[in-house]
Amino acid sequence: MMAYPANIEQRINDLLSRMTLEEKLGQMSQHSVGGPISAQLKDEIRKGRWGSFLNAGSPADRVEAQRIALKESRLGIPLIFGRDVIHGYRTIFPIPLGQAASWDPELIRQAARVAAREASAAGIHWTFAPMLDITRDPRWGRIAETLGEDPYLASALGAAMVRGFQGDSLDAPGSIAACVKHYVGYGAAEGGRDYNTTWIPERLLRDVYLQPFHAAIRAGAATVMSAFNDLNGVPASGNPFTLRQVLRNEWKFDGFVVSDWNSVIEMVPHGVAAGPREAALIALRAGVDMEMVSRSYYEHLKQAVESGEVDQKLIDDAVRNILRVKFRLGLFDKPIPEKVAAEEAPPDAEALAVAKKLAAESVVLLKNANRTLPLSKTIGRVAVIGPLADSPVDQMGCWVMDGKASDVRTPLAAFRDVLGAARVAYAPGLKTSRDTSRAGFPAALEAARRADAVLLFLGEEQILSGEAHSRAFLDLPGAQEALVEEVAKAGKPLIVVIMAGRPLTFEKVAARADAVLYAWHPGTMGGPAIADLVLGVESPSGKLPVTFPRTVGQIPIYYNHMNTGRPPSEKALGIPTGTPVDPQGFDSKYLDVDFTPAYPFGYGLSYTTFEYTNLRVSSPSMPMGGKLTVSADVANTGTVEADEIVQLYVRDLVGSVTRPVRELKGFRRVRLKPGEKRTVEFELTTADLAFHNAENKLVTEPGVFHVWIGPDSTRGLRGEFRVTE
Ligand code: BGC
C-alpha cells in the first residue's frame, strides 16, 4: 500500500463540516460530457453540482473547468476527470487480452505507465482500468478487455497495470488513479451475451472472480467500479455482500466506488427497485459512492436524508472516500497549468518502443509446420493479402478513444519498409473482415502466384468485439475461409496472421495454413512487431491466456476445471467425429467434436525448441505454514535465442470439496541463447495452495499435491509433495 500524509483525514473532516448536503451529493455525481464544457456547466461547477466528469472536453477545457472548481466554487474542491484509458491513451498497446498473452508483468507495467503519462498530460486524473473480469466465454465481446481466464495470471498482470497507472504515488507526475472493474462477476454473463445474468456460487466467486480484484486492491488500486450484472439475484451495483462485506470489511478498501454507466438506475429494469429513488437508496446502502451518468443520487437522496429515511452518515462516508482519493491524487494542491498545448503530442520514441515490444511479446505462434517461419529477409517477394493487412482502426482494437489511425503502422506498411515496396505485392482480397464479395479474389490469387510466400492477414474488425458486441458464431466472418482456399491454389507457403478481439474458431484455416500467428488487435506498433516476428528478428514468445475452443459448442471450456466422475480419456479422441456413434462408452465428451480444445491455456510455440528436465521438489512434504521450492532445468535446444514462459501448476488431489485438475501458481519469462540451460525455481507456500471450502472459509488442507513445471497447461514434468498438519 502506498503511504499518504496523515493530515488528509483532518482535511476531509474539515471540509465535510463545511459542506452543504447539496455539495456532498454533487461530489457523489459524475457527469459525462461529450463535447466542450459549456457555460451552463461551468456555472454548475461553481455551485458544486459535480464532483467528476468523464469524457469531458479538450485538455484546455479540463484545465479551465478545474480552475473554476478550485478558484470559484465555494469550497474549492477539485473535480476528478475520468476517462477510458484502457490499453493506451494516444499510443495504443495490444488489447488487454493480447497483453495478457505476453505473460510479462514488467512490460505491462511500463505500458500502463506510458498511458498514464500521456493521459495525465491531457488533464486526465483517473482511468477506468484495469478490467479484471475473469471470463470463460469467448462469445462475450468484452473478453478483449480482460486478462484471460486464469485468476493467478490476471492477478499478476492486473496488479502490474495498477502499479503502472499509479506509479510510486498517486500525486507523482505522470500518475493517474486506477479503477478496477467491473466488480464483480460481469464476465460470467450467461451465454456470453453482454449485461446478462450471472450465477456464481460464493466459493467460485472467491476462488476465481474476486481474486484479481483483491490482488489489485493490495497493489493500491484507488477506485473500484461496480458492474452492470445481476449477481445471484442481486445487481452488482446494489450488492452489499460484495461492496461492503468483501471490499470494505474484509479487504479494508478505503478508496471510492463508482457505479458503471447508469448501473444505479438500471436496477429498475433489473426489477429490484421500483424507480430511481429506490435504486439510489439501494446503491448507497450497498456502498456505491459515486454515481456515473444517471442522477438518482442528486435528485433523490436529499429528500431521503431530510425525511430520515437515510442516515446522513452514509452520505458522509461516501464523500469521505471520494475526497480521500482527490487528496491522494494531489488535486487540491497541484498548481493549475498556465498553458495547455493546443495539439496533443504524437507518441514519442519511448512509447513506441514499449508498444512494439509488447505487441511482439503478445503474438502467439500456434502452428509452424516444417519451420515455415521465420522467412528469410532475403526472400524474393511476399504477397500481403487479407482485410486486416492495412486496417489501422481495426488493428487498434476496441475501446480506443484517443489513439489516432494516422499513428498506426500496419503490417503492409511495415513489410514495405523492411523489404522495399517492390518486393511486396498487396491485394486485400476482401475489403473488410465481414465482406462476402469475391470480387477481389482473382487479384489476391495472382499476387500469391507471383510471390515466394503468402502472408494472409485475417480476423475480425475491432467493431466485432468490445462492449455489447458479443458473437454467437466465432468463425472467421465474411468470405475469409473462401479467400484462404482460393489463395492456397497458388501452392506457396501460406502464413496466416489472425487479428481478433477474442479466440476465434478456425480449424480448417489452421489445417490449410503452414504457419499461424495469433496477433489479437496489436495496437499502434502491431505492423513492425509482426514483421520482426515473420522475418525472424525476434522469435514469437506469447502464450495463450485463454483456452481456444474448436467450436462454439464446447464453450465454456477452460483449463482449471473440476474433474468429473467420468473424465474423458485419450481413447475418446478416436471417436469418428460428426457421427452419433459411440464405440467408447460413457465418458464426459462430445460425439461430434474432440473433448480437447483447439489450443490449450498457456500454449504457444517458438522458433527454437525448449527442453524441460530434472524436476526437483526441495522436500517431499511441508508442514502447514511452511514452504518448499520446485525447480526444473530449461534448455534452449534449438538454434535461435528466444524467450520461454515457464509455467508452474499444481493439483490438490483430494479435498473436502472438489478441486481443479490444474491451477497456475507461478510463471517466469526466461531468455535463453541456443544451447543455454537454466534452472527455473519457484517457491510454493501452503498459503499459495489455499481455497475456499464448503463453509467459504479460506483453508489449505493437508494431503498430496501434484506439481508440474512445463510449457503449457497440458504438458510438463510432474512431481509430488505432501502438505502435513
Ligand atoms: C463500461 C465501462 C466504462 C464506462 C465509461 C461503460 O459502458 O461498461 O467499462 O468504463 O462505460 O465509459
Side-chain angles (χ1 to χ4, degrees), residues 18-216:
R18 293 188 288 138
M19 288 169 85
T20 63
L21 183 52
E22 281 92 342
E23 284 166 336
K24 290 176 183 173
L25 295 173
Q27 286 305 307
M28 295 164 68
S29 303
Q30 185 185 53
H31 185 41
S32 170
V33 192
I37 297 169
S38 66
Q40 189 199 326
L41 265 183
K42 287 182 185 165
D43 209 43
E44 291 178 2
I45 296 168
R46 274 183 204 104
K47 295 190 177 125
R49 167 70 184 85
W50 303 108
S52 175
F53 288 98
L54 80 154
N55 304 328
S58 65
D61 282 335
R62 290 192 276 267
V63 168
E64 174 59 4
Q66 191 68 307
R67 193 194 61 72
I68 293 170
L70 283 167
K71 302 290 178 206
E72 298 178 14
S73 73
R74 199 175 70 86
L75 295 171
I77 301 176
L79 298 160
I80 178 168
F81 287 103
R83 198 168 180 84
D84 291 282
V85 182
I86 305 300
H87 50 113
Y89 182 77
R90 174 76 184 246
T91 308
I92 301 301
F93 301 98
I95 53 168
L97 187 61
Q99 294 189 34
S102 76
W103 299 54
D104 192 339
E106 171 51 22
L107 190 57
I108 287 172
R109 185 196 65 77
Q110 286 174 27
R113 195 73 205 141
V114 169
R117 172 162 65 70
E118 291 180 348
S120 69
I124 305 298
H125 310 128
W126 177 28
T127 174
F128 304 122
M131 199 254 229
L132 297 176
D133 295 310
I134 295 292
T135 189
R136 296 165 166 180
D137 198 328
R139 290 172 298 185
W140 190 47
R142 301 199 81 168
I143 192 174
E145 294 173 62
T146 73
L147 297 168
E149 75 187 27
D150 181 67
Y152 182 91
L153 183 62
S155 296
L157 305 183
M161 276 188 187
V162 169
R163 285 193 287 269
F165 288 131
Q166 300 194 163
D168 294 333
S169 92
L170 280 175
D171 61 356
S175 284
I176 58 177
C179 180
V180 294
K181 70 186 189 186
H182 305 83
Y183 192 73
V184 58
Y186 184 40
E190 284 184 346
R193 204 174 78 233
D194 208 1
Y195 315 121
N196 208 4
T197 306
T198 68
W199 289 102
I200 310 174
E202 183 177 336
R203 192 143 51 77
L204 184 64
L205 192 68
R206 289 186 180 275
D207 279 344
V208 174
Y209 293 88
L210 285 168
Q211 269 206 37
F213 288 92
H214 196 189

Side-chain angles (χ1 to χ4, degrees), residues 650-668:
V650 301
R651 177 174 185 177
D652 183 350
L653 292 191
V654 180
S656 59
V657 291
T658 58
R659 307 286 298 119
V661 296
R662 269 201 193 204
E663 289 179 287
L664 183 72
K665 293 292 175 187
F667 61 88
R668 198 143 321 135

Side-chain angles (χ1 to χ4, degrees), residues 54 84 128 142 181-182 225 228 260-261 292 399 467:
L54 80 154
D84 291 282
F128 304 122
R142 301 199 81 168
K181 70 186 189 186
H182 305 83
M225 185 186 293
F228 288 126
D260 203 345
W261 185 290
M292 184 190 283
W399 272 119
E467 186 176 350

